[in-house]
């Protein structure tokens, strides 16, 4: 596993820059277990997935620190309260 590209950290959230080619969450099969959230959980045991980016997509990923923060952030994403910007190169 490679090092994480940390953009922001506090007691509630972690923002990581996900590289293209890396899964956001584990896939099916032994060969697809290396992913951003697994790497984050090795450093922060309370790290939980809020949203994902496709494997081929690079960009910022918000990770919750704990179940309550995950619930709140997931709800904000679901209710479209989070502004997202995509830039294709």
């Amino acid at each position: 596993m490679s090092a994480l590209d940390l953009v922001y950290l506090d007691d509630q959230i972690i923002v990581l820059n996900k590289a293209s080619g890396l899964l956001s969450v584990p896939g099916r099969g032994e060969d697809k277990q290396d992913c951003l959230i697994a790497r984050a959980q090795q450093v922060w045991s309370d790290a939980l997935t809020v949203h994902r980016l496709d494997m081929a997509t690079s960009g910022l990923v918000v990770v919750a620190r704990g179940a309550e923060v995950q619930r709140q952030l997931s709800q904000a994403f679901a209710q479209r309260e989070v502004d997202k910007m995509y830039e294709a190169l």
Side-chain angles (χ1 to χ4, degrees):
M1 288 194 190
S2 300
L4 293 167
D5 186 358
L6 179 64
V7 175
Y8 179 82
L9 172 68
D10 67 23
D11 357 340
Q12 296 185 339
I13 67 170
I14 305 161
V15 178
L16 299 169
N17 190 17
K18 187 190 89 58
S20 175
L22 179 65
L23 290 167
S24 292
V25 296
R28 292 189 179 153
E30 260 328 286
D31 60 330
K32 293 186 173 63
Q33 297 308 297
D34 181 28
C35 62
L36 187 68
I37 195 64
R39 292 179 184 189
Q41 288 172 339
Q42 287 187 335
V43 179
W44 304 280
S45 60
D46 59 350
L48 297 170
T49 301
V50 174
H51 68 100
R52 302 175 293 186
L53 292 177
D54 291 340
M55 183 174 176
T57 303
S58 63
L60 300 179
V61 175
V62 178
V63 176
R65 300 209 52 199
E68 179 58 26
V69 176
Q70 180 193 37
R71 186 188 65 72
Q72 292 172 358
L73 289 171
S74 294
Q75 185 175 29
F77 271 84
Q79 294 176 351
R80 302 193 185 280
E81 296 171 353
V82 175
D83 291 325
K84 299 179 252 181
M85 182 176 65
Y86 297 91
E87 186 175 318
L89 299 178

